[in-house]
Amino acid sequence: MRLILLFLIAALLAGCGGGGGGGGLGNVAATGRIIWLSSGTGPNPPATVQIGNLSAQTDTGGNFQIAAPAGSTSLLVVYQPVGGSAVTFRFDIPPLQANQDLGDFYIGPEKITVTGRVLSAVDGSAIPGASVRFAGRMGVTDASGRFNLPEVAYDSGNVAAFLGLEGRVTKTGFFARDFFPSAGAVAGVVTIEDLSLSPEGGTSPPGNPANIEGFISPAGSAPGTVVKLLQNGTPVRQFTVGSDAHYGFFVVAGSYVIQYHNLINGLSAPDESVTLAGANQVVRRDVTLR
């Protein structure tokens, strides 16, 4: 089995250059962690991580460290799970210029595509050029605010593990936004519901970038709660609660209904009605999941 795995690594490197970059610029220390999605832990047995023509194996926690060629722009992971088929995942990484922690990379028995759209929380317009990171994949929104992340780790036998993965959207001039998927894959695709970003400055939004906000309790059950804001029965905003147990929206004056449901643990809270007399008014609704 080990000979087959080594042959597979060699074939992949021969076909695609083994991780990109290099160019004789010397080596830098690249560290990170590989996580087997199905278990949420480091691969067992170890996975092989390759950057450029150099490789290392993960430790029991999935951590790796490689003296990688400077300028490298991709990372290859090869793993042979016990009783399963060998899997390979290639990830884009920022060009290595100095010692760098690359973060977490998820691998799994299957691959799916994650897609979605990033919009302004002020007027619903598309936000191009926003950076999206999820499960170790990186992408950038196009002119219509859409992003597409191919070959994301997935396990149809443990969808809950996938739903627990947290993504992040960033864009200069806007507050960063964390998100979770709210449903499993359909025909190999997971669609993230629209992600709204609030601008950092200006008169809209005022102060704290939300005029409808609140906290979810108990805090330990809050991550992954999908909070929907409806107007006249139509969803107009959606927020996926992160580890801070906080949610928030910025909207124009009007009457709204807030719905709360956590697809990960099945908990929910009663709907809340909110009326804003003006955009500068701030209303807080804290709820408890049951």
Side-chain angles (χ1 to χ4, degrees):
M1 184 67 71
R2 181 174 176 82
L3 289 176
I4 295 175
L5 187 59
L6 291 174
F7 176 79
L8 179 59
I9 295 171
L12 286 166
L13 293 178
C16 50
L25 299 178
N27 293 337
V28 296
T31 59
R33 184 172 63 154
I34 307 300
I35 302 173
W36 181 244
L37 176 64
S38 305
S39 64
T41 60
N44 183 22
T48 299
V49 182
Q50 184 95 24
I51 301 179
N53 58 353
L54 300 173
S55 65
Q57 287 196 314
T58 55
D59 65 15
T60 55
N63 301 291
F64 68 86
Q65 179 171 331
I66 300 176
S72 296
T73 57
S74 68
L75 172 153
L76 175 69
V77 182
V78 180
Y79 177 53
Q80 174 66 65
V82 175
S85 301
V87 298
T88 62
F89 282 77
R90 182 174 293 280
F91 297 90
D92 292 332
I93 58 176
L96 293 175
Q97 303 299 336
N99 296 346
Q100 187 172 351
D101 183 355
L102 299 173
D104 293 343
F105 299 90
Y106 284 82
I107 61 174
E110 303 168 55
K111 298 178 182 179
I112 51 97
T113 295
V114 174
T115 185
R117 188 170 60 160
V118 180
L119 306 175
S120 169
V122 175
D123 57 12
S125 61
I127 299 180
S131 298
V132 182
R133 185 177 178 104
F134 182 77
R137 295 288 178 202
M138 300 186 302
V140 178
T141 56
D142 62 16
S144 64
R146 295 190 177 278
F147 63 88
N148 193 65
L149 306 177
E151 298 192 349
V152 175
Y154 193 72
D155 183 355
S156 57
N158 187 5
V159 177
F162 176 81
L163 295 178
L165 297 182
E166 184 175 17
R168 188 169 180 83
V169 183
T170 58
K171 169 70 175 179
T172 301
F174 291 83
F175 286 91
R177 165 84 183 267
D178 296 328
F179 67 90
F180 291 84
S182 59
V186 177
V189 177
V190 169
T191 300
I192 304 296
E193 297 195 30
D194 289 350
L195 301 169
S196 297
L197 298 187
S198 297
E200 290 181 338
T203 58
S204 179
N208 186 4
N211 50 12
I212 298 177
E213 63 173 345
F215 285 88
I216 308 293
S217 62
S221 300
T225 300
V226 176
V227 184
K228 291 185 178 180
L229 191 69
L230 292 78
Q231 188 172 44
N232 298 322
T234 301
V236 293
R237 297 283 190 275
Q238 178 169 304
F239 189 100
T240 303
V241 178
S243 58
D244 61 356
H246 177 264
Y247 73 91
F249 306 99
F250 181 81
V251 290
V252 298
S255 296
Y256 302 90
V257 173
I258 315 172
Q259 296 179 340
Y260 311 84
H261 184 60
N262 192 312
L263 295 176
I264 299 175
N265 54 36
L267 300 178
S268 61
D271 294 354
E272 292 280 345
S273 296
V274 173
T275 297
L276 287 177
N280 289 330
Q281 179 186 5
V282 177
V283 175
R284 178 167 168 172
R285 291 288 188 272
D286 297 338
V287 299
T288 299
L289 298 177
R290 297 180 175 87

